[in-house]
Amino acid sequence: KKKKKKTCRAEIDRRSRGERGEIIIMVGKKASGGRGGQRKRVRTQASATAKAQSVSRMKGGRYEADLRLATEAVRLASKLCRASQLQLRENENTNQTKRDKLESPVTVADLGAQAIVSWALQNLPNSGAVTRNDGFSLVAEEDSDFLRSEEGADLRNRVVDLVNNTLRGSGLKELTEAEVLLAIDEGRSEGGSDRRHWVLDPIDGTRGFVGNRQYAIALALLDEGEPVLGVLGCPNLSLEAEDLDARTAAATSSSESSSSSQQEDGSGYLFVAEKRRGAYKVGIEIEAGSSGSDAESGAPGDILGHRISVDEVDPNDAVYMESVETKHSDHAFARKVAENSGINKDSLKLDSQVKYGVIASGKASAFMRFPDLDYKEWIWDHAAGAIIMEEAGGVVTDSEGKKLDFSKGRTLNNGNGIVAAPPKLHRKLIESIKALGR
């Protein structure tokens, strides 16, 4: 027995460091403290986290404990969003009143995802290990003002029910109505260059969510105004699909066929990154304790992320990405920039920050966004995606080539437009933008 314990400690030591710099992501009941024979494993996770923090101080993985916590928070929110999207599909052919649309599953999911991530970052096992003296700060999109009104009572009840159904299914304690509202309102922080701030977009790509296309739960951590980790939950993404745009095409051509054909097919990814430690992809593992195609460790729930990197290809072979919605970006100008840079292939249109994960995985080459000239970007629309892209070897700037500045509050302190690509292609794109003179 003594020999077995030593072997276990050695295994914890090895895996907390990660082989070849890889990051171990803990998900499922085993990571969140579920019952039923999981107590020993929870202690193992705590030991691994403590060991990882010790190693991190020597090897630069300063935010590893934060990353584990963020990953589990986004996994929970992804589970919540999938449940809500199933309800949306069931209701898509029914007649809805204005009030129905206000209280639609996407509204419920937005508020519920913000509540569950906010609560998880403060209350999941090991959340105390990442608490700092300056307290908890969350910069997020939603607030509970309408929910607290008399008119918002029905919506409030639906949000609370969705949050608690998700927590109950993961073996976690349910929240009171007051706790849910408080968790949502934690997102009112103004951010800035001082201290640490979590940044959250609970559902990035609302139209993609409604249309059964791509959307993302986007969570990042800023330290003194700089992103130091990011997690993207992409429940509908399948990187193995021959045509990454197939889901968009199916959803826009026939809502009926998209609903029937896009059942729970095992798709879905988490993209994670920590400053100076690389970017990784991992199966989203919605069902707690299950093992997916990306699981490389022996025990279910212990997910070893695969390291990803951008693919620097010749412009002739490059594919650039843009938003599905034309009102989000000037597609005609993006086409001119692409052609001027030697890119001749048609664009790949996907909703949300999923685009950052796709490029970081080498499945596409660039992302360009050119909104109206007076538009200011919210920091939650790019914080998580930007660090994942950069840790995968890419470059993310505004359309003038300036690094994105997340340090000035809730909006980016940058010029108009976003360009993300591998280094050489990025330089070509910026040169083309200057030459075309937007």
Side-chain angles (χ1 to χ4, degrees):
K1 291 184 179 178
K2 288 182 179 179
K3 184 176 181 180
K4 186 175 182 180
K5 288 182 179 179
K6 287 181 181 178
T7 302
C8 183
R9 275 196 291 273
E11 178 71 2
I12 293 168
D13 185 17
R14 179 183 68 79
R15 294 176 60 193
S16 67
R17 290 195 302 270
E19 294 180 353
R20 301 183 301 280
E22 291 171 322
I23 297 175
I24 307 298
I25 307 299
M26 307 293 291
V27 301
K29 286 185 179 180
K30 295 177 182 178
S32 55
R35 298 177 181 176
Q38 308 298 341
R39 295 179 182 176
K40 181 177 180 181
R41 187 60 189 169
V42 170
R43 288 198 298 271
T44 300
Q45 180 198 351
S47 300
T49 301
K51 186 69 178 178
Q53 287 177 308
S54 175
V55 173
S56 295
R57 280 192 286 271
M58 294 184 289
K59 297 195 174 185
R62 177 181 175 186
Y63 304 98
E64 183 168 336
D66 303 89
L67 183 60
R68 290 172 184 254
L69 185 63
T71 301
E72 178 64 3
V74 171
R75 185 198 67 80
L76 284 170
S78 298
K79 181 178 180 180
L80 179 148
C81 288
R82 267 195 170 172
S84 185
Q85 194 174 55
L86 284 173
Q87 182 183 351
L88 188 65
R89 293 180 203 169
E90 293 171 358
N91 297 338
E92 67 181 2
N93 292 321
T94 62
N95 294 321
Q96 290 187 316
T97 66
K98 182 177 180 181
R99 183 179 182 85
D100 290 332
K101 291 178 181 178
L102 180 65
E103 299 177 5
S104 71
V106 66
T107 306
V108 176
D110 247 328
L111 293 162
Q114 182 158 318
I116 211 163
V117 170
S118 174
W119 176 87
L121 290 174
Q122 300 175 79
N123 293 281
L124 280 180
N126 298 319
S127 59
V130 300
T131 301
R132 300 296 189 271
N133 294 331
D134 50 13
F136 180 73
S137 173
L138 176 66
V139 183
E141 188 173 13
E142 305 298 334
D143 61 59
S144 74
D145 289 350
F146 179 76
L147 295 182
R148 294 178 184 274
S149 69
E150 183 177 349
E151 186 182 3
D154 289 341
L155 179 59
R156 180 172 66 243
N157 291 336
R158 291 179 63 190
V159 171
V160 173
D161 287 345
L162 182 60
V163 168
N164 283 330
N165 286 340
T166 304
L167 293 174
R168 191 184 309 118
S170 300
L172 299 168
K173 82 174 190 71
E174 296 182 27
L175 305 183
T176 65
E177 180 181 285
E179 288 174 323
V180 170
L181 297 178
L182 178 61
I184 293 171
D185 284 337
E186 291 280 11
R188 294 180 185 267
S189 172
E190 290 298 318
S193 60
D194 62 329
R195 57 187 286 199
R196 292 158 40 108
H197 304 280
W198 291 99
V199 178
L200 171 69
D201 192 338
I203 295 183
D204 183 39
T206 302
R207 289 182 179 273
F209 183 94
V210 172
N212 191 33
R213 302 192 304 261
Q214 299 301 331
Y215 67 96
I217 299 92
L219 180 63
L221 178 63
L222 304 183
D223 197 344
E224 297 183 349
E226 181 181 359
V228 293
L229 69 83
V231 180
L232 285 178
C234 308
N236 285 347
L237 182 64
S238 177
L239 291 173
E240 284 69 39
E242 290 185 9
D243 182 4
L244 281 169
D245 214 9
R247 193 179 188 105
T248 295
T252 54
S253 63
S254 171
S255 60
E256 183 176 352
S257 64
S258 69
S259 290
S260 60
S261 62
Q262 298 295 344
Q263 301 301 320
E264 302 309 311
D265 57 3
S267 64
Y269 276 92
L270 293 175
F271 296 100
V272 302
E274 181 185 352
K275 185 179 179 181
R276 298 193 184 96
R277 297 198 72 195
Y280 301 78
K281 68 174 182 179
V282 56
I284 205 163
E285 293 300 310
I286 292 298
E287 294 301 324
S290 64
S291 59
S293 60
D294 272 355
E296 290 189 352
S297 56
D302 295 355
I303 307 297
L304 182 61
H306 295 281
R307 188 153 190 169
I308 56 177
S309 62
V310 298
D311 188 10
E312 186 83 79
V313 299
D314 185 273
N316 285 326
D317 299 318
V319 174
Y320 76 95
M321 305 184 74
E322 57 188 350
S323 301
V324 174
E325 303 294 331
T326 55
K327 71 176 185 177
H328 291 170
S329 181
D330 186 341
H331 286 191
F333 183 73
R335 180 72 257 172
K336 290 179 182 178
V337 173
E339 291 175 350
N340 196 68
S341 303
I343 301 175
N344 298 308
K345 292 186 177 181
D346 291 337
S347 67
L348 174 61
K349 295 179 175 64
L350 292 178
D351 304 281
S352 81
Q353 289 180 69
V354 164
K355 292 185 284 291
Y356 284 114
V358 171
I359 300 170
S361 300
K363 299 294 185 178
S365 308
F367 163 48
M368 292 186 284
R369 173 178 164 90
F370 302 107
D372 293 338
L373 292 174
D374 59 349
Y375 181 79
K376 295 294 290 183
E377 301 276 358
W378 299 103
I379 62 174
W380 52 72
D381 285 330
H382 300 284
I387 186 169
I388 289 168
M389 179 75 175
E390 290 170 353
E391 287 298 316
V395 180
V396 184
T397 69
D398 63 19
S399 60
E400 299 174 358
K402 297 178 181 176
K403 183 178 175 63
L404 301 188
D405 183 356
F406 297 92
S407 70
K408 303 301 182 185
R410 295 170 73 87
T411 57
L412 284 176
N413 182 39
N414 282 92
N416 184 263
I418 302 290
V419 180
K424 291 180 181 179
L425 182 56
H426 184 274
R427 285 195 294 273
K428 283 182 175 290
L429 294 172
I430 295 299
E431 289 170 1
S432 294
I433 293 169
K434 291 178 180 178
L436 291 169
R438 182 171 189 261

